[in-house]
Every structure is written in C-alpha cells, then in structure tokens.
Amino acid sequence: IITSLVFLLMAVTFPISGWFALKIVPTYERMIIFRLGRIRAPQGPGVVLLLPFIDHWQRVDLRTRAFNVPPCKLTSKDGAVISMGADVQFRVWDPVLSVMMVKDLIAATRMTAQNAMTKTLVKKSLREIQVEKLRIGEQLLLEINDMTKSWGLEVDRVELSMEAVLQPPRENLVGPLATMPPVPGLEGLDGTVQQLAAHFFSNTLALAGSGTGAPEAADSMETVNEVEPPTAPLLATAGSARRKPSADELLSAVEPILSEALVSQVGASYQVNIALPSGAQSTYFIDLSSGKGRAGCGVPECSPDVVLEVAEKDLQDLFLGDLRPLSAYMSGRLQVKGDLHLALKLEELVKAMEQRR
C-alpha cells in the first residue's frame, strides 16, 4: 500500500518528482537500494528509478582500487626488528555482500591484511623476507582472500615493502666466531673457549713475530675486550627484564608530551579502563579533543569518544612501543567501544612517546 501511494504521488507531481527519482548509474558502478529496509537486486548500469521517502541507496564501485598498509615494527624469527608495510589492490565482485557484510570495506580489509602480514613474517628470518618477498606476497594474497571472500571482495595483488631494518638479527653478534675452523691441538675444548683461545694465541704469535718484548705484549693483550661482545645480548636481556612502569607512572609520562599539534592530529577523548593484576579496575582519561590536551584519573568531564578496555601489562607494552594499537585490537588484547578509527589514532600518542624517549 505504501509503495502504491508513493507511485501515485510521483505520477501526480511528475515531472518534478522525476528530477529526484531518476538516477544515472555508469557502467563501472552498481546501485544497492533498500526499499522499506529490504535490500533489492543491484541496479544499473543505466537509468534507475528511486522512490522518494521509502528508498535508501548506496553506490558501489566495481573498479580495481588500492590502499596501503602502514609500516609497522615486526620481529622476525632470527630477532631482527624491521619496519614493514604493503600495497594492496582489490576489487568488489559482489556489491550486495560488500554493503551487507562490512561497514567500512577498506578499513576492514586493511586490518585483515596487516594481521595476516604480521602472523606470516614473524615466522620467517630477515633473509627469507628479503629473498622471498614475492612468494610471501602470493601467500598473503591467498590468506587474505580466504577471509574477505565472504565480503564480496577479491584481492588481486599484495606487494610487500620494507621501510627499514631497525635492528639486525641477533645471530650476527656471534656469527664470525661460530664460523672459525677448528684449531689443531685445541679440539678438546668447548667451541667458544676454543675460538677465544685461538684468537689469543694468534695475537701472541703476531706480537712475537714483530719483535715486541714480553712486557709490551702483555700490556697490549686485553682478553676482557674480546669476551665483552658476545656478552652484549646477555646485558640487553638483563636490562629488558627491568620493572615496567605502573599505570600511574605511565600517566605521568603521558602528560608532558601533550600538545596542540597532537590534539590536531588525534582530535578525540578516551576513557581507559585498566584491569589490574589483582582483579580490580582503575579508570583514566586522555582528552585530546581541545587545547593542549589533558590526562588524569577517573572519567572525563564530557562523554568520551572512545572507551578502551585493556590489561595493565598490555597498556605497558602499548606505551613502551612493544605493542601497536592495531595489533592489540586484532589479537583481542584491546577492547574498543566506539569509533575504531579514532581508537587507532592512539598510534600518534605512542609515536610521540617513542620520540620523547
């Protein structure tokens, strides 16, 4: 009855109603129409009739489009820390599914691609990533398509791009010593002791051949310095085991970096509910919506744009740069209530803290 009445109204007010009801859809687009809340078959290309008041419509572009996955820090299997991004090309093959199954197609596909890239690259060494970049891209293409085919979307190409190697593989620290050939007469010693002894005796022979006296040789040989490089990872490990700051200490570290520039980049207020190891929960706020920004305990004065729920350990990893907001969300360690796009803008705050350190 409602549809019939609308048709009658259009006939009475024609041709004025035709100016608003007739839409032209090009060949590379399809129009998805919801009539009284129910979806209809895709319309177009050509002229499409829309009924005023009861039809809601959305255009879907069928052409190949592209987006980039922002570079993120990853730790490879051999301990190298790299900054890795990707370029992704995709197209929509089912316009109905692309509208019905996901709200923001590009954002959802970008998160899916970044999650798949992270899971794949952490299982490979730096050399494998550099040599097999094309093959890894083809593997990611299949994995992403398996997850996005139910959205009516098909990924055509994934091209990895390595921005920088932030830290070389840990194996390089002991690689030169490990490749030394066995020394005659020292076969019974442990490998590392044998290598250090061989290095010691080679220095002694070189000094003797140059005619240097024994006192000078003793002064010039510093075996302590030869042992120090292999122990550098142990010192780094001991340093990394230091106590992490509490939530209150993290908050006090956030306040000095707040600025108008950061507010202009983020433009949102956050309420952070932190689950403590004791089982209790504490609440903090970070207001980056106006002025120079504010941070403190309790709930913000106005209604927050985003509410975040996170464990204290995961919050420490976030602010110390060991965990990225997107990876925390994809792994379930960060719960978001509100606009996901605004929640991921916390990346700007994390970058500001890293620069300050």
Side-chain angles (χ1 to χ4, degrees):
I1 294 174
I2 295 175
T3 304
S4 301
L5 291 176
V6 172
F7 269 111
L8 180 61
L9 178 63
M10 287 182 57
V12 172
T13 58
F14 193 82
I16 298 176
S17 60
W19 179 263
F20 302 98
L22 297 178
K23 302 292 182 182
I24 298 178
V25 180
T27 303
Y28 55 83
E29 287 185 352
R30 295 295 181 270
M31 184 174 287
I32 304 300
I33 300 175
F34 293 87
R35 179 163 295 171
L36 295 175
R38 295 182 179 180
I39 194 168
R40 304 185 66 207
Q43 304 293 312
V47 179
V48 176
L49 176 65
L50 297 175
L51 300 183
F53 308 117
I54 63 173
D55 279 357
H56 298 277
W57 54 276
Q58 181 175 338
R59 294 179 182 266
V60 178
D61 196 329
L62 302 182
R63 295 175 293 183
T64 298
R65 288 175 285 172
F67 63 85
N68 68 306
V69 178
C72 59
K73 288 198 300 184
L74 302 171
T75 303
S76 61
K77 184 175 66 174
D78 54 359
V81 179
I82 60 177
S83 177
M84 203 76 180
D87 296 320
V88 180
Q89 295 181 358
F90 73 99
R91 62 182 179 86
V92 174
W93 62 269
D94 191 324
V96 174
L97 289 178
S98 68
V99 173
M100 292 289 294
M101 300 303 295
V102 62
K103 183 177 180 180
D104 191 334
L105 196 63
I106 293 181
T109 308
R110 178 182 284 115
M111 287 190 294
T112 301
Q114 186 164 22
N115 190 34
M117 182 181 71
T118 303
K119 289 182 178 179
T120 300
L121 296 184
V122 296
K123 299 177 183 178
K124 297 184 179 295
S125 65
L126 176 61
R127 180 174 178 79
E128 290 174 336
I129 295 173
Q130 292 174 331
V131 174
E132 305 176 4
K133 188 184 297 184
L134 293 178
R135 191 182 66 81
I136 296 174
E138 294 173 354
Q139 179 184 349
L140 288 175
L141 178 68
L142 298 176
E143 294 181 5
I144 297 171
N145 276 327
D146 286 341
M147 291 181 280
T148 60
K149 62 183 179 181
S150 61
W151 301 346
L153 177 145
E154 181 180 3
V155 176
D156 295 329
R157 183 183 179 190
V158 178
E159 183 175 349
L160 297 177
S161 59
M162 183 178 296
E163 300 294 327
V165 178
L166 305 178
Q167 177 180 313
R170 285 193 292 263
E171 296 175 352
N172 292 348
L173 295 174
V174 296
L177 289 177
T179 57
M180 290 180 62
V183 181
L186 302 177
E187 294 85 358
L189 298 177
D190 178 76
T192 304
V193 177
Q194 181 183 137
Q195 293 156 9
L196 293 175
H199 190 77
F200 175 83
F201 287 122
S202 64
N203 287 344
T204 304
L205 293 175
L207 291 170
S210 61
T212 306
E216 295 179 358
D219 293 338
S220 62
M221 290 185 290
E222 293 290 337
T223 58
V224 175
N225 292 336
E226 301 297 333
V227 179
E228 282 178 359
T231 60
L234 298 178
L235 296 175
T237 304
S240 62
R242 64 184 185 277
R243 184 185 68 86
K244 292 186 177 181
S246 64
D248 291 331
E249 293 170 337
L250 287 173
L251 182 65
S252 62
V254 167
E255 292 178 348
I257 68 172
L258 300 182
S259 64
E260 294 181 357
L262 189 60
V263 169
S264 64
Q265 290 178 333
V266 179
S269 62
Y270 302 88
Q271 176 179 323
V272 186
N273 298 328
I274 304 173
L276 302 177
S278 61
Q281 178 174 295
S282 58
T283 302
Y284 299 86
F285 71 89
I286 303 174
D287 188 356
L288 298 174
S289 60
S290 61
K292 294 185 178 180
R294 297 187 309 114
C297 299
V299 298
E301 296 178 356
C302 58
S303 179
D305 298 306
V306 181
V307 178
L308 307 175
E309 295 184 358
V310 63
E312 185 180 36
K313 177 182 179 300
D314 297 330
L315 182 70
Q316 294 166 345
D317 292 340
L318 278 171
F319 284 146
L320 293 176
D322 298 330
L323 179 66
R324 315 311 294 184
L326 179 60
S327 301
Y329 173 76
M330 296 298 295
S331 61
R333 299 164 68 178
L334 176 65
Q335 303 295 325
V336 177
K337 295 180 181 178
D339 192 334
L340 179 59
H341 179 68
L342 291 178
L344 296 181
K345 283 190 174 182
L346 276 177
E347 182 79 20
E348 302 298 333
L349 179 62
V350 174
K351 290 180 180 178
M353 296 187 68
E354 291 178 349
Q355 293 174 357
R356 186 176 181 85
R357 290 198 300 269

